[in-house]
Amino acid sequence: DTGVSQDPRHKITKRGQNVTFRCDPISEHNRLYWYRQTLGQGPEFLTYFQNEAQLEKSRLLSDRFSAERPKGSFSTLEIQRTEQGDSAMYLCASSSTGLNQPQHFGDGTRLSIL
Amino acid sequence: SQQGEEDPQALSIQEGENATMNCSYKTSINNLQWYRQNSGRGLVHLILIRSNEREKHSGRLRVTLDTSKKSSSLLITASRAADTASYFCATSLTGGGNKLTFGTGTQLKVEL
């Protein structure tokens, strides 16, 4: 059973650098979500796609953040000019289409900004 | 911002005991979901309860939903050390698309 896969698991970078994360959803899932989780908090929604269309973006997603899902399969999340406050766990989830569908999460990418 | 609160924030019990966690939320929902998260890992989906349902069971888990009080509870019966984790409730809000809004979580520790 192939679940949601995220790469890399950990990323350490210097402030000001650009980083890109990848998410491979469960193959039959049309919807893909990105969340951010800081220590001791629940995840916060960033953005979501249905197939290749980005349908919603949170106000948390500043113009330094961009997400793509070019062929409706895997997705990338890029952060430009990273800041200390970007340090967090970035979680990807996928689900089937429909109102009451559970979301299935990957193990996340932990980003640390030096 | 977080949708609501889980209560308690932390819970420590002995193996074999039952654990109850509560979740409150603020606005109208389509469904409420419970997730488990082990340290440094992603979230594992446990159970989804729709807004028109009042109770659901899955193995040792029992979830209730009271939409009039905007609250839910998760009961884990006969707890095991492997149940040690953080537990989060998440709501899919009416008119909120499909995004989930998470609570702050309950840290459960089950001791041998």
Side-chain angles (χ1 to χ4, degrees):
Chain A
D1 181 21
T2 304
V4 177
S5 176
Q6 292 189 247
D7 183 66
R9 288 293 312 280
H10 300 95
K11 180 71 177 178
I12 301 173
T13 192
K14 293 181 179 179
R15 185 167 54 91
Q17 297 294 304
N18 299 344
V19 293
T20 300
F21 312 138
R22 176 178 170 126
C23 171
D24 287 89
I26 292 171
S27 58
E28 59 266 30
H29 285 176
N30 304 37
R31 291 184 177 153
L32 186 148
Y33 309 79
W34 287 98
Y35 293 85
R36 181 172 68 189
Q37 185 179 26
T38 53
L39 203 61
Q41 299 295 312
E44 292 182 297
F45 171 79
L46 293 178
T47 188
Y48 103 92
F49 293 83
Q50 178 151 320
N51 300 313
E52 65 275 12
Q54 189 173 18
L55 295 187
E56 189 171 348
K57 293 196 292 186
S58 164
R59 285 172 295 175
L60 293 175
L61 215 64
S62 77
D63 56 6
R64 295 185 299 106
F65 288 70
S66 62
E68 292 183 343
R69 194 182 183 198
K71 296 182 180 179
S73 56
F74 73 92
S75 175
T76 57
L77 178 67
E78 181 183 16
I79 309 174
Q80 296 182 329
R81 305 181 303 281
T82 52
E83 301 174 356
Q84 292 281 355
D86 297 332
S87 294
M89 174 82 90
Y90 290 84
L91 293 161
C92 176
S94 69
S95 76
S96 299
T97 308
L99 185 57
N100 292 303
Q101 297 297 320
Q103 293 183 22
H104 298 274
F105 283 77
D107 275 339
T109 294
R110 180 166 295 285
L111 175 64
S112 298
I113 307 297
L114 301 177
Chain B
S1 62
Q2 303 292 308
Q3 154 77 319
E5 299 283 331
E6 272 103 329
D7 172 55
Q9 288 189 345
L11 179 61
S12 183
I13 59 174
Q14 298 293 312
E15 198 171 48
E17 294 180 338
N18 295 343
T20 300
M21 288 159 262
N22 301 297
C23 166
S24 62
Y25 58 93
K26 297 175 183 174
T27 57
S28 179
I29 62 172
N30 294 319
N31 63 67
L32 186 144
Q33 303 180 39
W34 284 91
Y35 287 85
R36 183 186 75 227
Q37 186 176 36
N38 291 90
S39 181
R41 304 297 299 273
L43 286 84
V44 175
H45 182 264
L46 297 176
I47 200 162
L48 181 152
I49 186 164
R50 302 180 185 198
S51 60
N52 61 353
E53 297 176 315
R54 292 297 165 257
E55 188 171 313
K56 270 189 109 166
H57 298 254
S58 176
R60 293 184 296 113
L61 306 180
R62 173 179 169 255
V63 168
T64 63
L65 178 64
D66 187 335
T67 52
S68 67
K69 294 181 179 177
K70 292 186 170 59
S71 68
S72 174
S73 67
L74 170 66
L75 168 67
I76 304 173
T77 60
S79 62
R80 305 166 182 169
D83 295 328
T84 295
S86 293
Y87 291 81
F88 293 92
C89 70
T91 51
S92 173
L93 306 182
T94 303
N98 294 287
K99 64 177 182 273
L100 293 177
T101 305
F102 284 82
T104 51
T106 293
Q107 290 187 35
L108 173 66
K109 183 175 182 181
V110 181
E111 299 185 83
L112 295 169

